[in-house]
Amino acid sequence: MKGKLLFFKLFILAALVIPVSAFAEIKDDDVAKIDELIKTGKYIVIDVRTKEEYNAGHLAGALNFDYYSDDFEDSIESQFKNKNKPYIVYCRSGKRSLASAEILEELGFTNVTNMKGGILAWESAGKPVVK
Ligand SMILES: O=S(=O)([O-])[S-]
């Protein structure tokens, strides 16, 4: 009985201490799947590279929010009021976008998908970019 009570107390303590975002799972899809998702027309696509990288070539319709900018989080929050819409994030090879996806989820976004391999994988697969 004592063991069960201790377990219950620890469970309650963990529930209070561990933020819900710690359980959020970021989706990490490959280029083929991302291409399918974009074609549904439901996704907002965010390019988190620098303006220079974006201008050199990006996915059609992608919006640019530089992960390295000081106001990255504020800009994202003020631009995207609906945190339940589906979002895709990508960068050059997948590191900044994965970090960005984590930030978005911490901000309360509920449906964020990272493009595995970034625009390098996208271009390697022969997918189009616009300038
Ligand atoms: O774009 S990157 O952070 O993966 S090099």
Side-chain angles (χ1 to χ4, degrees), residues 49 53 68 91-97:
R49 299 175 300 157
E53 289 176 288
Y68 292 130
C91 61
R92 181 176 176 272
S93 68
K95 292 187 194 82
R96 277 174 285 179
S97 56

Side-chain angles (χ1 to χ4, degrees), residues 85-106:
K85 277 191 174 170
Y87 294 85
I88 289 169
V89 290
Y90 75 90
C91 61
R92 181 176 176 272
S93 68
K95 292 187 194 82
R96 277 174 285 179
S97 56
L98 192 55
S100 300
E102 285 169 0
I103 289 171
L104 263 66
E105 293 212 331
E106 281 167 19

Side-chain angles (χ1 to χ4, degrees), residues 27-41 43 45 59 87-90 112-118 122 127:
K27 286 171 243 149
D28 202 27
D29 283 331
D30 64 17
V31 161
K33 179 70 183 175
I34 293 290
D35 197 18
E36 273 175 34
L37 297 177
I38 290 173
K39 284 177 177 155
T40 66
Y43 284 75
V45 182
L59 273 62
Y87 294 85
I88 289 169
V89 290
Y90 75 90
V112 183
T113 303
N114 178 49
M115 182 165 82
K116 225 186 277 183
W122 179 266
K127 306 283 184 194

Side-chain angles (χ1 to χ4, degrees), residues 1-93:
M1 184 63 192
K2 240 184 171 180
K4 276 186 186 166
L5 191 60
L6 179 63
F7 176 79
F8 181 71
K9 283 182 183 173
L10 287 174
F11 178 79
I12 296 295
L13 184 65
L16 293 173
V17 172
I18 301 171
V20 173
S21 61
F23 297 107
E25 190 186 318
I26 291 164
K27 286 171 243 149
D28 202 27
D29 283 331
D30 64 17
V31 161
K33 179 70 183 175
I34 293 290
D35 197 18
E36 273 175 34
L37 297 177
I38 290 173
K39 284 177 177 155
T40 66
K42 295 179 182 162
Y43 284 75
I44 295 169
V45 182
I46 305 176
D47 181 324
V48 299
R49 299 175 300 157
T50 63
K51 184 140 231 61
E52 293 71 31
E53 289 176 288
Y54 176 84
N55 288 339
H58 56 269
L59 273 62
L63 303 167
N64 184 219
F65 289 83
D66 181 357
Y67 170 75
Y68 292 130
S69 72
D70 292 337
D71 64 348
F72 177 70
E73 292 182 33
D74 290 343
S75 307
I76 292 276
E77 278 215 290
S78 62
Q79 177 75 30
F80 306 111
K81 300 292 183 204
N82 187 343
K83 295 182 175 180
N84 295 316
K85 277 191 174 170
Y87 294 85
I88 289 169
V89 290
Y90 75 90
C91 61
R92 181 176 176 272
S93 68

